[in-house]
Amino acid sequence: MKSGVEPLVNDGFAGEPAKRCVGYVQSQREKGKNVVGIYCTYGPLEVVRAAGAVPAVLCAFADKTIAAAEEDLPANLCPLIKSSYGFIKTDTCPFYSLADVVIGETTCDGKKKMFELIAGIKPTHVMDLPQLPDQKEALENWTEMVKKLKGFLETTLKTQISDEAVEAEIQHSNVKNKLLNTILDFAALTPTPLTWQEMYDLTYLGQAASTADMMKVMEDALAKVQKRVADGVFHGQPDSPRVLVTGTPVGGDATKVFKIIEESGGVIVALDLCTGLKPYAGHIEEGAADPYRAISKRYLEIPCACMTPNDRRLSELDRLIEKFKPDAVIDVVLHACHGYSIESTKVKKHIEGKHKLPYLKIETDYSQSDVGQIRTRVAATLEMVHK
Ligand code: BJ8
């Protein structure tokens, strides 16, 4: 990107994405809103917002709290869980401090058991997530869980959640997701006018910010990216290898991988991650007889490796590859995330077999100790891309 090009995201808050998001959540709290901490993309944001509350993502990506967490948790546990727990243990998580209540889901074993350790600190509601999403009972059971969440929020936040409010939030989510995808779809152009940082910033903020608050940010970003295209402004070089990143959530200290891809001459064109496109895919049926069922249906379609089988992950990769035309796929797996790590075998076969693209799996944590090794492997993968 040429110097002097205006940054895409201007939300009025300073700092890197997590800090700006804290600013946003804090501002909502000052307006009298309750704050609901969430740990997962399966957390139904429409119900949280219909309760008049603001969601705050509690998943953490910082190495600095891992040592404190390891006093209680096994060292060979996923860094996302250790980091999140370490922030709570050391009472340094601004999102957790702001939260009135916390929602968790039975995704992986590590998260599930970590919730037990923090449940006594704040009202914590764990939703039983079905893990065989294609079975007919899954939709019934998850709808029941989403309705139970309504009851929990009504009781603990002393509020009422009407069906009309839930329906309105469904419509708001659809509007936000559509516009956000319109912006992110510009990365399908060759060369791309977007940076990974901009895609990450927008999707990070969009989880907390309401559609009304995101509208201005998104309209501004859309106008800027349209101008970049009109002016011939792009990121990287016209022949930079295009990379699709898939896998576990990647944020904070783990964004070292994104930085290495860029330093190695690549450009990231799609983030198939929960810290990227995943929360904004799909559409929730509007005007359904049961809005909770409509929400449940959409959320059960999230292709997380905690599901079995998780064939939607492969069909979603097909869709993204067709749209963003990557030259290589890099699968980032956090240490000790068995679900994503095992699933990598299928993903590799799919990418190399069906799409004939170079595939690289990177297992990493939040430390900087493996930066040199990742750099070498990324460089070798990008060298395989023939331009
Ligand atoms: S929908 S990806 S946010 S569970 S914590 S599973 S990395 S071992 S975060 Fe996730 Fe919801 Fe799925 Fe998305 Fe693995 Fe670590 Fe577990 Fe993790």
Side-chain angles (χ1 to χ4, degrees), residues 39-42 59 78-81 107-108 110-111 247-249 274 278 302 304-306 334-338 340:
Y39 273 106
C40 181
T41 306
Y42 287 105
C59 294
C78 158
L80 189 151
I81 302 170
T107 51
C108 60
K111 265 191 177 171
T248 54
C274 281
K278 272 190 191 174
I302 296 167
C304 175
C306 66
L334 291 174
H335 275 168
C337 177
H338 301 313
Y340 275 91

Side-chain angles (χ1 to χ4, degrees), residues 49-335:
R49 293 204 170 99
V54 56
V57 176
L58 299 174
C59 294
F61 304 100
D63 194 47
K64 66 182 178 190
T65 57
I66 299 266
E70 286 180 355
E71 289 169 10
D72 299 345
L73 301 175
N76 64 343
L77 181 67
C78 158
L80 189 151
I81 302 170
K82 287 191 288 187
S83 181
S84 309
Y85 177 81
F87 269 106
I88 295 172
K89 181 173 176 176
T90 55
D91 198 13
T92 51
C93 176
F95 293 110
Y96 193 79
S97 305
L98 289 166
D100 298 284
V101 299
V102 174
I103 305 173
E105 296 78 14
T106 54
T107 51
C108 60
D109 287 350
K111 265 191 177 171
K112 200 159 64 188
K113 299 306 285 183
M114 187 270 276
F115 297 148
E116 290 178 26
L117 303 187
I118 60 166
I121 308 173
K122 296 205 176 196
T124 302
H125 179 78
V126 179
M127 303 172 72
D128 187 8
L129 179 72
Q131 301 198 343
L132 278 66
D134 303 322
Q135 304 278 317
K136 67 176 171 31
E137 297 83 1
L139 181 58
E140 303 310 322
N141 293 346
W142 188 232
T143 303
E144 209 43 52
M145 286 300 133
V146 177
K147 288 182 178 171
K148 254 190 163 171
L149 172 67
K150 167 189 189 285
F152 167 77
L153 293 175
E154 286 183 329
T155 308
T156 49
L157 302 181
K158 299 189 176 34
T159 188
Q160 287 295 310
I161 303 175
S162 69
D163 281 2
E164 291 70 31
V166 175
E167 177 63 32
E169 291 304 335
I170 288 174
Q171 295 180 12
H172 292 159
S173 284
N174 285 338
V175 168
K176 182 202 283 182
N177 296 356
K178 194 166 172 219
L179 185 49
L180 202 65
N181 276 291
T182 302
I183 300 165
L184 300 174
D185 281 358
F186 274 88
L189 294 175
T190 305
T192 172
L194 298 174
T195 67
W196 70 261
Q197 182 78 56
E198 292 170 332
M199 299 191 280
Y200 176 68
D201 286 2
L202 268 174
T203 54
Y204 198 111
L205 183 67
Q207 296 249 57
S210 67
T211 300
D213 292 334
M214 274 302 279
M215 219 54 201
K216 166 88 190 63
V217 177
M218 291 189 297
E219 282 169 353
D220 186 47
L222 181 60
K224 282 179 187 161
V225 76
Q226 285 169 333
K227 182 166 184 325
R228 284 183 191 174
V229 174
D231 294 348
V233 173
F234 56 84
H235 178 53
Q237 299 302 317
D239 61 352
S240 296
R242 300 167 61 83
V243 178
L244 180 150
V245 180
T246 186
T248 54
V250 177
D253 288 337
T255 60
K256 64 186 173 186
V257 179
F258 299 161
K259 291 171 192 156
I260 291 169
I261 292 170
E262 267 196 359
E263 287 161 17
S264 311
V267 290
I268 296 171
V269 293
L271 299 172
D272 176 35
L273 311 167
C274 281
T275 47
L277 291 165
K278 272 190 191 174
Y280 304 97
H283 176 90
I284 309 175
E285 183 191 352
E286 297 181 10
D290 182 350
Y292 291 91
R293 192 181 166 89
I295 289 172
S296 304
K297 188 164 181 301
R298 139 71 187 127
Y299 279 79
L300 272 185
E301 287 166 0
I302 296 167
C304 175
C306 66
M307 296 293 183
T308 185
N310 187 28
D311 296 336
R312 283 189 192 86
R313 171 123 182 251
L314 303 183
S315 47
E316 182 61 3
L317 279 166
D318 290 343
R319 185 183 76 82
L320 296 175
I321 288 170
E322 192 183 332
K323 178 182 279 184
F324 293 100
K325 312 232 168 337
D327 300 305
V329 172
I330 296 186
D331 193 0
V332 184
V333 178
L334 291 174
H335 275 168

Side-chain angles (χ1 to χ4, degrees), residues 323-359:
K323 178 182 279 184
F324 293 100
K325 312 232 168 337
D327 300 305
V329 172
I330 296 186
D331 193 0
V332 184
V333 178
L334 291 174
H335 275 168
C337 177
H338 301 313
Y340 275 91
S341 190
I342 294 167
E343 199 163 277
S344 290
T345 302
K346 270 190 170 180
V347 174
K348 175 178 161 64
K349 205 167 155 203
H350 189 74
I351 299 300
E352 293 179 342
K354 179 169 178 180
H355 294 284
K356 313 276 180 252
L357 289 174
Y359 165 92

